[in-house]
Amino acid sequence: MKRLGVYARIIVFNTVMLLQISSADAISETEIQNAQVLDVHSNGSPTVKDVSRLAQPIWKEFFFADARFRQESIFQGDSPSRYRYRIRFRMGGNFPVHPRVNLGFRMVTGATDDPTTGNVDLDDYFSKKGFNLDRLFLRYSPNSSLTATIGKFANPFERVELVFHNDVQLEGAAQQFRIDEVGFISQVQANLGQFILAETRGGPDTNLFAGQLYFKGFQLKGLSFGAMLYEYRNEDNIAQAVEDGRLGGGDTNARVGAGTGTSVYPIGFRIIEGLAKYELEIETVPAWLLASYAQNRLADLDDTAYWLEVGVGPVPGLHRLRALYHYARVEQQSMISNYNNADIFNPNTHGHELKFAFPVEKNIGVELLYFIAKKIIESGKNPYQHKTRIQIKAKF
């Protein structure tokens, strides 16, 4: 009888352990899929156990997402005032598929034919909003001195939103070479890019070749500067895409044959851009001064663009407030308008922006912006355009 009792205890013990192991396996799978587990007590009443602590490390390690909610008011002369509401959602991930290779992707809202924005208007009678592939790339980094990227990816060059809007994701290949501590220079960067705009059957393809030499920490601490060249090939295909309605982004360049079904640019685009930035501290508060200049070397007139910026923050005594002011003047033939910032910096425009940003909660921030802009070349009446924005940003 004693042996039977011992055997019975062993059987019961093993049975309980097997049930616990199988239950644990099932729970771990459910936790990953649903981020919640039902824990049944002895009385049979279920309770929900929060397992977000299990999912958060995985999310933070591999994924990211952010959302933006915007109210924008637009006023211009005698034109009717506009009040529009816009949303943007982005979600992506980065995965180390090899110790030296990273796979990245990002999805974003917005129209497929406008590369300069992920915004969608709250409009169109409750219709659904598009969600599209914005990035997909492989990045190879064998060491700290070299990075090579292929696919569709963020602009890899040091720059401001003068020639390219931040939302434009380039396609093709890019290489970055870095050398640290070169004499009195903290870092030297050589950035190269070979980008594909259009593959044309039976005709020349449209490409962009770019190169940049950039210096950080040159003589004066906090100083960085560099120069870039953008060389377009067969850019008339871009003009034709605008004519056909296949490319948005706010076209303001001069085009020959616009409205006839055949459209070309009267000039080519070979753009040089210089950038200088000085970062400093004022009573322990970070601040910066920035200037950028661009010129289209293939245009004779209206071929230059300027960007001047001053910023400060975060300011600890003012809820970590950030403040930014910049002025931009972008002449009509200085760059391709479908790719640069179309808010006030579109070619043939000059204007001012004042921006304030501050956090209100963890991962939630508010931005207040004011724009005033005017066209450089305009026949007839040419009033200033004013814009105000209130934005709420959340990231997780």
Side-chain angles (χ1 to χ4, degrees), residues 108-174:
V108 68
T109 50
T112 57
D113 63 350
D114 188 350
T116 63
T117 182
N119 294 318
V120 290
D121 293 345
L122 300 185
D123 194 9
D124 293 333
Y125 310 101
F126 301 151
S127 61
K128 291 180 174 60
K129 313 304 179 185
F131 196 51
N132 306 294
L133 182 66
D134 194 39
R135 292 178 186 168
L136 181 62
F137 61 86
L138 280 175
R139 179 160 292 146
Y140 173 59
S141 301
N143 51 57
S144 60
S145 299
L146 171 63
T147 300
T149 309
I150 58 171
K152 186 173 178 63
F153 46 87
N155 195 316
F157 301 111
E158 301 282 350
R159 75 203 202 293
V160 295
E161 290 185 287
L162 194 59
V163 177
F164 278 102
H165 194 294
N166 284 340
D167 283 342
V168 176
Q169 309 301 301
L170 304 179
E171 302 174 21

Side-chain angles (χ1 to χ4, degrees), residues 303-368:
D303 58 348
T304 59
Y306 307 87
W307 178 297
L308 302 173
E309 176 177 306
V310 57
V312 62
V315 183
L318 295 175
H319 303 285
R320 302 190 64 79
L321 172 73
R322 293 176 182 266
L324 169 72
Y325 162 79
H326 63 249
Y327 168 77
R329 177 183 173 89
V330 186
E331 295 182 349
Q332 190 169 24
Q333 306 305 323
S334 60
M335 62 199 62
I336 294 179
S337 61
N338 301 85
Y339 297 117
N340 85 319
N341 193 319
D343 289 319
I344 64 171
F345 319 121
N346 225 19
N348 193 34
T349 308
H350 69 104
H352 309 262
E353 177 188 7
L354 185 61
K355 174 181 175 181
F356 299 95
F358 53 91
V360 293
E361 294 288 347
K362 183 181 179 181
N363 297 331
I364 300 177
V366 173
E367 291 184 355
L368 307 175

Side-chain angles (χ1 to χ4, degrees), residues 180-241:
D180 294 329
E181 305 301 332
V182 182
F184 45 77
I185 303 172
S186 299
Q187 187 180 82
V188 178
Q189 292 183 8
N191 301 315
L192 302 174
Q194 308 83 38
F195 306 116
I196 304 165
L197 284 87
E199 187 276 321
T200 306
R201 177 182 295 180
D205 296 341
T206 301
N207 301 296
L208 169 63
F209 300 97
Q212 180 186 48
L213 193 61
Y214 198 79
F215 303 90
K216 293 185 178 181
F218 180 79
Q219 289 187 333
L220 188 62
K221 183 180 179 181
L223 177 66
S224 58
F225 65 90
M228 176 179 285
L229 171 67
Y230 300 95
E231 178 79 27
Y232 284 90
R233 299 289 175 85
N234 304 311
E235 55 268 51
D236 283 341
N237 288 333
I238 302 174
Q240 188 59 46

Side-chain angles (χ1 to χ4, degrees), residues 256-277:
V256 178
T260 65
T262 301
S263 185
V264 297
Y265 293 122
I267 46 88
F269 289 90
R270 178 184 296 147
I271 304 164
I272 58 170
E273 181 181 11
L275 173 68
K277 184 177 183 180

Side-chain angles (χ1 to χ4, degrees), residues 273-295:
E273 181 181 11
L275 173 68
K277 184 177 183 180
Y278 178 52
E279 299 173 273
L280 66 158
E281 285 191 355
I282 304 174
E283 297 294 334
T284 71
V285 177
W288 66 92
L289 303 170
L290 187 150
S292 183
Y293 169 83
Q295 183 181 33

